[in-house]
Structure formats: structure tokens, C-alpha cells
Amino acid sequence: MSPKPPPLFNSIGAANFLHCLPGSMLSKEIVFKNLNRFLNKGGVFFGATVLGQGIDAGFLFRHANPLYNKLSVFSNLQDNAADLERILATNFATCSVDVVGSYALFAAHK
């Protein structure tokens, strides 16, 4: 009996967990690679993550983000939009990244 191929989806969402994974944004590329294989051709991969570099989201963020990182709730001090866009462009046919406050909202098509 041959193994059944994995299911494929037209869309996959990845919201509010990338900034909790340890390491830099570039080291988190494995998440994108692993989820990409479950996406149909033409499908969309989308999500949101809290960035730690290249943004100034105000007083509360400047104080809360370092604390969350110290407590190991977040691991985003090295996460930036340029690295996120580089990962998406490497693994998908098209992509976009929009930064709103401390958030990066992204979408990519296979």
C-alpha cells in the first residue's frame, strides 16, 4: 500500500505565532517551507507577526516588547520586514508585506 499524498489547501493562515518562535526571522524560514508544501498551486499563504526591528510602535511597545522577550513569551528582537519579505520571495511566486505599527501583515501566492 503506497502512502497517501498530503492534503493540499487553497489558503493557509499563519497569524500571531511567528514572533513567539525562537531565533531570528531568517531562522524561521523552515515554517514557510514546511507549510508551502501543503498549498495548492495559486494558493495564498497569509498571516501577521509582531516585528522587533525597524519599527517604532510607540511607548507601550518600546517597554512591553523587551519584557516579553526577556520572559520568553516573544522571540522577535531580530525579526524585521526585510527578512520576512526575503523569505516570502524565496519560497513563493509573489508576495507582499505591509507594516502597520509593530505588525507585519503578509500574503504570498504559490
Side-chain angles (χ1 to χ4, degrees), residues 23-91:
S24 68
M25 181 60 74
L26 291 175
S27 71
K28 298 171 189 178
E29 182 174 12
I30 191 69
V31 172
F32 298 86
K33 287 182 175 191
N34 285 335
L35 291 174
N36 188 357
R37 66 189 201 131
F38 295 101
L39 197 59
N40 277 317
K41 185 169 174 62
V44 63
F45 181 76
F46 65 94
T49 188
V50 179
L51 299 174
Q53 286 184 343
I55 51 103
D56 184 9
F59 175 82
L60 183 58
F61 178 82
R62 284 192 301 274
H63 294 282
N65 197 56
L67 176 62
Y68 290 161
N69 276 271
K70 183 177 180 180
L71 296 172
S72 298
V73 175
F74 284 5
S75 180
N76 69 341
L77 294 178
Q78 299 176 53
D79 293 1
N80 60 69
D83 288 345
L84 175 58
E85 191 163 11
R86 185 176 305 118
I87 290 168
L88 292 169
T90 299
N91 291 282

